[in-house]
Amino acid sequence: MKKLDPGDPIQKKQIKASIRDSIFKEVVGSNRTEIAEKVEALYEKLLIGAVIFTHIPSLTAGSVRREIMGQRIESTILGH
């Protein structure tokens, strides 16, 4: 089994797409473009200061998922 390298350009693209698609499927009514932008920004931000790269995908996915879900809940409550 090949080890994932979250810093490898080809694998980064695949990992980001996987995170984006996963969140899009989980959060009903979410916007794929908005998710992709948030995943891109956070992933790259985390990558800059990382010493250990293996946790970057899960940190990115969890943070973006929480943010998108929070926005959906707020939108539902406020009726936007």
Side-chain angles (χ1 to χ4, degrees):
M1 174 181 248
K2 185 177 177 183
K3 183 178 177 184
L4 281 179
D5 178 2
D8 176 83
I10 294 171
Q11 290 184 18
K12 266 194 334 187
K13 185 176 180 179
Q14 294 169 340
I15 291 167
K16 290 177 193 176
S18 177
I19 293 168
R20 178 201 64 218
D21 294 344
S22 173
I23 294 170
F24 183 71
K25 288 176 186 174
E26 290 176 24
V27 183
V28 176
S30 58
N31 180 305
R32 188 183 299 263
T33 302
E34 178 186 13
I35 294 168
E37 290 169 357
K38 290 180 183 301
V39 167
E40 177 70 27
L42 183 57
Y43 191 98
E44 293 301 325
K45 180 180 176 183
L46 291 172
L47 197 58
I48 290 170
V51 175
I52 300 173
F53 298 110
T54 56
H55 301 293
I56 292 173
S58 60
L59 289 170
T60 301
S63 293
V64 173
R65 184 179 293 110
R66 279 189 300 279
E67 184 177 348
I68 296 295
M69 290 177 85
Q71 290 173 350
R72 295 291 303 145
I73 291 168
E74 184 177 302
S75 158
T76 301
I77 292 171
L78 298 176
H80 293 121

